[in-house]
Amino acid sequence: MFDRLRKSYGRLVKSLRTEAEPGGPKRPHNLFEAAAAYVSACADDDQERIDEATTWVSPEALSFGVSELACRAVIALARERDESPRSVARSLLGLPAA
């Protein structure tokens, strides 16, 4: 059981690395790079780039990265606008103020 847990944790850590391993192959994309590429491709309506970004990481990792990107973007906009993150998120989605 601990071996499976150790291997799972090792894969997670490896997916978060951003530098190439010495002497190893070209560094793979991490989940945050994939999320940034995916979201920017969606904003540009570029299906080819969307398809490419979805191959970089697992669907679960991409979902997590997109969620993290959304949180950071809402926080940044809230600070910039001097509003609450809740009001900014509702505004971005076209929802009435709560």
Side-chain angles (χ1 to χ4, degrees), residues 1-11:
M1 178 178 155
F2 290 111
D3 188 48
R4 287 177 51 200
L5 187 60
R6 182 185 57 79
K7 286 179 182 177
S8 294
Y9 180 74
R11 284 193 300 267

Side-chain angles (χ1 to χ4, degrees), residues 3-45:
D3 188 48
R4 287 177 51 200
L5 187 60
R6 182 185 57 79
K7 286 179 182 177
S8 294
Y9 180 74
R11 284 193 300 267
L12 174 65
V13 169
K14 191 173 185 177
S15 73
L16 294 174
R17 288 197 180 123
T18 58
E19 65 273 346
E21 295 179 14
K26 183 180 173 189
R27 166 182 77 73
H29 298 281
N30 71 28
L31 65 101
F32 297 117
E33 288 173 323
Y38 179 81
V39 170
S40 63
C42 287
D44 291 337
D45 197 26

Side-chain angles (χ1 to χ4, degrees), residues 48-70:
E48 186 175 315
R49 286 179 35 221
I50 291 170
D51 293 341
E52 179 184 356
T54 60
T55 66
W56 293 354
V57 294
S58 72
E60 295 84 10
L62 183 60
S63 177
F64 174 79
V66 169
S67 177
E68 185 66 23
L69 178 59

